[in-house]
Amino acid sequence: MRKITLLCLGVVLFCVFVSASSFAGEVSRSRPAQERFCFDLTRTLPPEVVDEVDRLCREYLYRPFDIDCVVAIVPSPGGESVEKYAVELFDDWRIGGKTHGARGILLLIALAEQKAKIEIGYDLEHIYTDMYVAQV
């Protein structure tokens, strides 16, 4: 399970950083679609890759384990640190809010900074510890 998750995250990170494009735009402070899991707000990835990441999150995390895993690719955190922006986006989008408990994972990718941050919901912190997430 963890190997599949790591592989999915690695593929997304690789695709984003290799094919980065410039796009300036405002990121919505509310989740664009509750039934989706992958949001490429920069239009960097081809639509079929976004759909595949969305499908993998749904099939391997949401359905079997009730984990709301969101991949968000944003142009920039708008002057904030990537870490602070990830916490705010996690809260604003209420990631994990549609699960039984706070079972949410956010993979935030900020293109301009070429940084990624993983934010974990409270009910998953015993599984995805800070040390584990930092290693990923």
Side-chain angles (χ1 to χ4, degrees):
M1 165 61 198
R2 287 186 179 182
K3 289 181 182 178
I4 292 172
T5 304
L6 289 175
L7 179 63
C8 292
L9 296 177
V11 168
V12 170
L13 285 172
F14 175 78
C15 290
V16 169
F17 289 137
V18 167
S19 62
S21 66
S22 62
F23 173 81
E26 189 71 24
V27 175
S28 172
R29 295 314 260 182
S30 62
R31 190 168 173 173
Q34 289 295 321
E35 67 281 352
R36 298 281 305 192
F37 300 92
C38 184
F39 302 95
D40 181 7
L41 304 175
T42 62
R43 297 186 184 114
T44 301
L45 299 175
E48 56 271 6
V49 173
V50 172
D51 291 341
E52 181 65 11
V53 171
D54 193 69
R55 184 188 69 77
L56 290 171
C57 288
R58 182 178 294 104
E59 284 186 21
Y60 291 106
L61 294 170
Y62 185 66
R63 286 184 184 154
F65 300 105
D66 194 33
I67 296 174
D68 186 15
C69 179
V70 173
V71 177
I73 306 167
V74 299
S76 174
E80 295 182 42
S81 71
V82 174
E83 293 77 14
K84 182 179 179 190
Y85 189 81
V87 170
E88 290 176 0
L89 194 64
F90 190 92
D91 291 339
D92 290 345
W93 284 16
R94 299 174 192 234
I95 297 172
K98 63 182 181 177
T99 64
H100 296 101
R103 299 174 62 88
I105 299 174
L106 169 65
L107 169 60
L108 174 70
I109 302 168
L111 282 185
E113 290 74 12
Q114 292 195 351
K115 289 186 177 182
K117 173 70 171 113
I118 300 173
E119 193 64 34
I120 304 294
Y122 294 119
D123 282 1
L124 295 175
E125 286 182 344
H126 67 285
I127 298 170
Y128 299 102
T129 63
D130 290 340
M131 184 183 295
Y132 177 77
V133 169
Q135 187 178 19
V136 172

